[in-house]
Amino acid sequence: MKSPVHRCRDVDHGRGQAAAGDGAGLNCLQSEQRIPISKDVITSSSASAMWFIRDACGIVCAVITWLLVLYAEFVVLFVMLLPSKNLTYSIVNGTLFNTLAFLALASHLRAMCTDPGAVPKGNATKEYIESLQLKPGQVVYKCPKCCSIKPDRAHHCSVCKRCIRKMDHHCPWVNNCVGENNQKYFVLFTMYIALISLHALVMVVFHFLYCFEDDWTKCSSFSPPATVILLILLCFEGLLFLIFTSVMFGTQVHSICTDETGIERLKGETGKWGKIPCWEAMQAAFGGPLSLSWCSPFAGLSCKKSPPEHVIVPQGEIVKEDIIEIPLN
């Protein structure tokens, strides 16, 4: 196993760095058949296994996210809905808000605890590369940080310390990368947070109008100053998260439709793969044809315990080269 281009290092994104190398390396790469291996050849060790990133900043941000949603629940229920004299208004809005909040937290949990598409760590051995049975002239790329063979469109995350397939970005609010396997849950999380933020803002406006017309001491079980402070804080929180999550939701849908992740757009890696149509990309991201399962963070969950599909990585020494060419002979 040899590499005629061992000086062309692929630090983060393979072909982009190699193409920007020195003249000798570029000429060498142009003369060979550079066909990166796909995700079907190299997969994560277990797509269904529990996944959790032990990052202090991410854990704190995830806890803050849940606390903010619980605060909104508290204000909506105990400040606005329960003291209301209109029972129908309270039941309808309470049911709607709690349903959306539950779906938002469930989506957050799925986005946080789902393997985003991690490539097996430390599989860049001569024995493993030979076991792939690649064609002569093909080129594979090794990540120098996690010593794994990188599929096409995979990038290394310094927080997860793994290469992630179709990595869009690392989001501290879900304490995970947004990648090929959990992008749907991240999209649902931003959508449901935006919806409960909008719903909370509408209810705050109606509650203020109701309190101005009626006695402040009768429109809430709290004192008037406490009621005003709680409502203003909820209004500020709802407005902030409505703007933020709406932008994130639109960005993610645009990335799916254009078949181009955020990191690929940032690094200028566009046009280096065969893009699929928008509707086909949406079906691939959300797990099938248009149905109610698109809006469910529980789609794909099963109570049955399936055996883990481990990828057998042959033991051996990690290859030194970052770009490995399969010999023609």
Side-chain angles (χ1 to χ4, degrees):
M1 187 76 60
K2 62 180 181 178
S3 172
V5 289
H6 61 275
R7 295 182 182 178
C8 302
R9 300 190 64 85
D10 170 40
V11 177
D12 276 318
H13 56 282
R15 293 178 296 178
Q17 288 287 355
D22 54 29
L26 182 59
N27 294 333
C28 196
L29 287 177
Q30 287 175 343
S31 63
E32 64 187 6
Q33 187 182 5
R34 300 177 62 219
I35 307 175
I37 50 182
S38 68
K39 66 171 185 176
D40 299 324
V41 177
I42 301 176
T43 58
S44 57
S45 57
S46 178
S48 60
M50 177 61 71
W51 173 274
F52 185 77
I53 301 300
R54 295 177 179 87
D55 176 59
C57 176
I59 294 173
V60 170
C61 289
V63 171
I64 291 175
T65 301
W66 278 65
L67 291 177
L68 288 173
V69 174
L70 293 177
Y71 170 77
E73 282 273 1
F74 170 77
V75 176
V76 168
L77 290 178
F78 295 99
V79 177
M80 291 190 287
L81 296 183
L82 290 180
S84 176
K85 298 176 182 178
N86 191 331
L87 183 61
T88 304
Y89 173 85
S90 298
I91 292 176
V92 171
N93 284 281
T95 302
L96 178 60
F97 186 86
N98 281 279
T99 301
L100 292 175
F102 173 74
L103 291 172
L105 293 179
S107 300
H108 181 271
L109 198 62
R110 290 300 305 273
M112 181 171 60
C113 298
T114 299
D115 181 350
V119 178
K121 201 172 185 178
N123 66 353
T125 64
K126 179 181 178 181
E127 293 80 3
Y128 180 65
I129 295 173
E130 289 176 347
S131 71
L132 298 176
Q133 299 180 349
L134 300 174
K135 297 179 181 179
Q138 283 189 283
V139 175
V140 294
Y141 300 94
K142 184 198 81 174
C143 175
K145 298 177 181 178
C146 61
C147 296
S148 64
I149 297 299
K150 296 174 65 174
D152 198 18
R153 302 182 69 181
H155 296 82
H156 185 85
C157 174
S158 58
V159 180
C160 298
K161 296 180 175 58
R162 299 284 290 273
C163 282
I164 308 296
R165 298 194 307 271
K166 292 185 70 174
M167 172 182 169
D168 187 88
H169 68 287
H170 184 92
C171 179
W173 296 106
V174 298
N175 188 34
N176 201 1
C177 275
V178 178
E180 184 177 65
N181 294 341
N182 68 341
Q183 189 172 30
K184 168 191 173 179
Y185 307 123
F186 184 76
V187 171
L188 292 180
F189 168 66
T190 57
M191 181 183 74
Y192 287 127
I193 289 293
L195 289 176
I196 64 173
S197 299
L198 179 61
H199 190 199
L201 285 173
V202 171
M203 284 192 292
V204 167
V205 171
F206 276 104
H207 197 73
F208 266 120
L209 294 175
Y210 170 72
C211 290
F212 280 133
E213 294 177 356
D214 202 351
D215 188 0
W216 274 90
T217 58
K218 296 179 180 179
C219 69
S220 174
S221 55
F222 294 86
S223 64
T227 300
V228 172
I229 293 173
L230 291 171
L231 291 177
I232 290 177
L233 289 176
L234 177 61
C235 188
F236 177 76
E237 176 192 345
L239 186 61
L240 181 66
F241 277 90
L242 175 61
I243 296 172
F244 177 71
T245 54
S246 296
V247 171
M248 288 302 301
F249 175 78
T251 302
Q252 289 298 303
V253 172
H254 178 264
S255 294
I256 295 173
C257 287
T258 57
D259 193 20
E260 179 182 80
T261 66
I263 196 169
E264 289 168 347
R265 192 180 305 110
L266 183 65
K267 293 185 175 183
E269 299 178 5
T270 58
K272 295 182 179 181
W273 59 89
K275 293 188 176 182
I276 60 178
C278 175
W279 189 245
E280 187 177 338
M282 290 290 289
Q283 290 180 328
F286 285 87
L290 178 63
S291 65
L292 288 177
S293 64
W294 279 28
C295 300
S296 172
F298 305 104
L301 278 179
S302 176
C303 296
K304 295 181 180 179
K305 205 171 183 179
S306 57
E309 299 176 358
H310 293 289
V311 174
I312 300 175
V313 180
Q315 298 296 323
E317 185 180 354
I318 301 294
V319 296
K320 296 180 180 180
E321 297 86 358
D322 293 339
I323 304 178
I324 304 102
E325 178 194 14
I326 307 302
L328 295 175
N329 296 329

